[in-house]
Amino acid sequence: MARLEKLAKRLSENYRRNIFALKCDIKKFFDSVDQSILFELIQKKIKDDGALWLINKIIKSFLKEQNKGLPLGNVTSQLFANIYLNEFDQFIKHKLKVKHYFRYTDDFIILHQDEDYLKGLLPTIAKFLREKLKLNLHPNKVTIKKLRQGIDFLGYVILPYHRVLRTKTKRRILRKVSENNLQSYLGVLKHCDGYKIKQSIMLK
């Protein structure tokens, strides 16, 4: 978030110029990972038969549908997700020559001063995901917004001069906060302008 915020400030020349953020989400990512493609990618880097046997067992231990899926919460799934989407990262950076790209698991953002440039990337991005990784963009979670409208990423919204908590995240915290998780939620609020919600929590 700090890196994204710093870049947004620089690209907008200290918030004097318009910049745009293309934000995308991959539809049902963990359920859609093709296990054969994942294992092929791992085989390119790992040659030890014993390690490959174990990795294959872990991958095949979960099936959402035939030959697809990674279990949410499994300690290896985040690692496998990054191995799988590294192909996409390399395509974005080296084939499309995109400079200002951020990804966290299946959410990614591209910043640029030209809105039409971002619109033009979408068909190529969607085609690569579909043909190479058998993934699809979520049709309801693809947006292009100006910085002053807020860049929504990882539970926060970046705006000129400050960062706030996403409204949905704020409501969830207020609904679920208890003595057992108080410090965890206060930790989340350290990374944004969260004074008002912190006061609301402390009064509960």
Side-chain angles (χ1 to χ4, degrees), residues 1 9-10 18 22 24 35 41 52 55 63 81 89 96 98 122 126 130 136 153 164 182 188 197 202:
M1 287 301 301
K9 183 177 180 180
R10 179 166 65 80
N18 258 337
L22 168 63
C24 300
Q35 295 179 350
L41 293 173
L52 288 171
I55 289 168
L63 281 178
D89 297 339
L96 297 185
V98 171
L122 271 172
R130 185 173 61 251
N136 294 291
F153 197 49
V164 297
L182 177 61
V188 169
I197 185 174
M202 299 307 290

Side-chain angles (χ1 to χ4, degrees), residues 41-53:
L41 293 173
I42 292 170
Q43 280 182 306
K44 290 179 181 179
K45 297 292 183 181
I46 295 177
K47 304 302 179 185
D48 181 84
D49 289 339
L52 288 171
W53 175 86

Side-chain angles (χ1 to χ4, degrees), residues 11 22 24 27 66 78 148 163 166 170 195 197:
L11 283 181
L22 168 63
C24 300
K27 185 178 181 181
Q66 189 173 6
Q78 291 290 330
R148 67 170 178 261
R163 185 193 313 171
R166 181 191 292 161
K170 190 188 305 180
Y195 177 77
I197 185 174

Side-chain angles (χ1 to χ4, degrees), residues 169-184:
T169 307
K170 190 188 305 180
R171 288 173 181 161
R172 185 167 64 246
I173 286 176
L174 289 172
R175 188 173 67 249
K176 293 186 174 181
V177 69
S178 69
E179 288 184 10
N180 294 330
N181 57 25
L182 177 61
Q183 292 305 314
S184 176

